[in-house]
Amino acid sequence: MASFSNLMSTLVLFIIIGCGYAQLEMNFYAKSCPKAENIIKDFVQKQVPKAPNTAAAILRMHFHDCFVRGCDGSVLLNFTSSTGNQTEKQANPNLTLRGFSFIDAVKRLVEAECPGVVSCADIIALVARDAVVVTGGPFWNVPTGRRDGTISNVSEANADIPAPTSNFTRLQQSFAKKGLDLKDLVLLSGAHTIGVSHCSSFSERLYNFTGVFGTQDPSLDSEYADNLKSRKCKSINDNTTIVEMDPGSFKTFDLSYFKLLLKRRGLFQSDAALTTRTTTKTFIEQLVDGPLKEFFDEFAKSMEKMGRVEVKTGSAGEIRKHCAFVNN
């Protein structure tokens, strides 16, 4: 009898653990909202060509969402006076996030088709993929079934999202915390092949690297640094000028970003950090020497892996009616 009781206890525990790590699945909405993914893809295909930077913006949003409480749409939540809680949107890394209105527009279309069925977390993941494909980038599978989180905390975002000033150790720790390895670190950083950044994200490399004004990061190519200071970020206090993360190729998903890293022309300290260890530098060299398809294939695997980080499924979380607010 005791053994039967122990067996049942073990079985119950297994079921609880299994539910906590429930799997996402392809075409999760096939029966509950069969048109959802096509509605999302059609909207992206019509709108992104009008504003190509949207792809990089939503891809960055997806990354920032997954690194705080998992891929649960918590990055979308607004501050509300009723809770008095500052959300992830107020965190330093997220102050320059864009694309919230785009996600809201997609949500409205999907809600009109199937009210209360498709999560905001899944919408971010699907839009990120579809937008990158529209710009000529890689396709990756997006299994769905994520639920929306109900908690969004500014301090967690400040702590968990890797800063552009991160060194290698900090990057490795941040990714490992989410179950991502050094290969994923390199590949996901490759998303910097598209998009732009504000000077404030890297100006200390140009003007105040050691804490003494006038010092420059010696790991940054001096010619590139001089160009940035003379043509782009003319002051350490410039918070508005935007700079291409992959100069001359920032609208094209290609290997140019990695080639620049090997020339010491990565824009961020976190970019430069990737070449400070033999393991990651060797992998970058392999990518540069290989066909573009290899990067696309490997990037796709890492994106699908990131999209599974700490997801909420089953009865966890909720399906928000409006992405910026938890349900009443």
Side-chain angles (χ1 to χ4, degrees):
M1 193 70 179
S3 60
F4 177 76
S5 177
N6 290 338
L7 177 63
M8 290 304 295
S9 297
T10 302
L11 181 60
V12 170
L13 180 62
F14 176 79
I15 292 171
I16 291 172
I17 292 174
C19 290
Y21 291 88
Q23 292 295 304
L24 302 176
E25 58 185 80
M26 295 299 295
N27 303 310
F28 177 81
Y29 300 108
K31 292 183 179 179
S32 58
C33 192
K35 295 181 181 179
E37 292 196 24
N38 281 332
I39 289 172
I40 293 169
K41 183 170 68 173
D42 290 347
F43 183 80
V44 169
Q45 289 178 338
K46 289 176 184 176
Q47 299 301 322
V48 168
K50 301 175 186 177
N53 285 341
T54 301
I58 304 295
L59 191 56
R60 182 175 179 232
M61 180 190 290
H62 185 29
F63 178 88
H64 285 208
D65 183 42
C66 292
F67 264 67
V68 186
R69 291 184 169 268
C71 313
D72 69 346
S74 54
V75 72
L76 302 172
L77 288 172
N78 283 349
F79 167 85
T80 58
S81 55
S82 60
T83 63
N85 175 50
Q86 282 197 310
T87 64
E88 293 170 32
K89 279 187 178 180
Q90 282 77 49
N92 288 332
N94 291 336
L95 294 177
T96 53
L97 275 188
R98 295 174 298 109
F100 294 108
S101 59
F102 194 96
I103 296 298
D104 288 340
V106 173
K107 176 65 170 174
R108 285 193 295 271
L109 289 174
V110 175
E111 282 293 300
E113 176 70 20
C114 311
V117 174
V118 181
S119 70
C120 299
D122 275 342
I123 288 174
I124 296 177
L126 289 164
V127 170
R129 190 271 312 277
D130 292 343
V132 167
V133 170
V134 167
T135 63
F139 173 92
W140 62 90
N141 289 325
V142 179
T144 43
R146 297 167 188 80
R147 304 268 293 178
D148 295 323
T150 57
I151 298 171
S152 183
N153 188 286
V154 63
S155 60
E156 291 178 348
N158 280 326
D160 290 348
I161 298 172
T165 55
S166 297
N167 60 24
F168 185 87
T169 301
R170 166 67 173 139
L171 290 171
Q172 185 176 21
Q173 291 172 344
S174 295
F175 275 65
K177 185 179 177 181
K178 300 302 173 183
L180 301 170
D181 58 27
L182 293 180
K183 189 175 181 181
D184 299 315
L185 168 60
V186 170
L187 291 164
L188 295 174
S189 295
H192 289 173
T193 185
I194 57 173
V196 296
S197 173
H198 289 81
C199 291
S200 54
S201 294
F202 58 88
S203 58
E204 288 205 349
R205 294 188 80 192
L206 303 175
Y207 294 105
N208 193 37
F209 186 65
T210 64
V212 177
F213 186 77
T215 55
Q216 185 173 294
D217 184 353
S219 71
L220 184 62
D221 176 73
S222 57
E223 183 180 340
Y224 181 42
D226 290 343
N227 181 280
L228 287 170
K229 288 193 286 189
S230 63
R231 298 187 180 185
K232 296 289 185 179
C233 310
K234 299 178 181 180
S235 162
I236 193 173
N237 299 315
D238 186 339
N239 294 314
T240 55
T241 302
I242 57 173
V243 178
E244 300 168 6
M245 292 190 289
D246 185 1
S249 180
F250 78 108
K251 292 183 180 180
T252 307
F253 216 101
D254 56 20
L255 291 165
S256 176
Y257 163 78
F258 292 120
K259 293 176 182 178
L260 290 174
L261 291 189
L262 297 177
K263 296 178 180 178
R264 300 191 298 119
R265 293 192 171 198
L267 193 60
F268 308 127
Q269 282 175 253
S270 58
D271 292 326
L274 300 179
T275 62
T276 62
R277 296 294 189 278
T278 302
T279 305
T280 47
K281 186 176 182 181
T282 299
F283 184 46
I284 291 169
E285 291 169 340
Q286 290 173 355
L287 289 170
V288 168
D289 292 339
L292 181 61
K293 183 180 183 301
E294 181 182 345
F295 169 44
F296 276 24
D297 290 346
E298 294 299 319
F299 181 83
K301 293 175 187 174
S302 287
M303 282 301 302
E304 183 174 347
K305 185 176 176 181
M306 186 190 78
R308 294 179 180 274
V309 169
E310 298 171 12
V311 293
K312 295 170 178 62
T313 57
S315 59
E318 64 181 15
I319 304 298
R320 279 184 230 140
K321 296 174 183 176
H322 304 282
C323 290
F325 304 96
V326 296
N327 297 337
N328 293 328

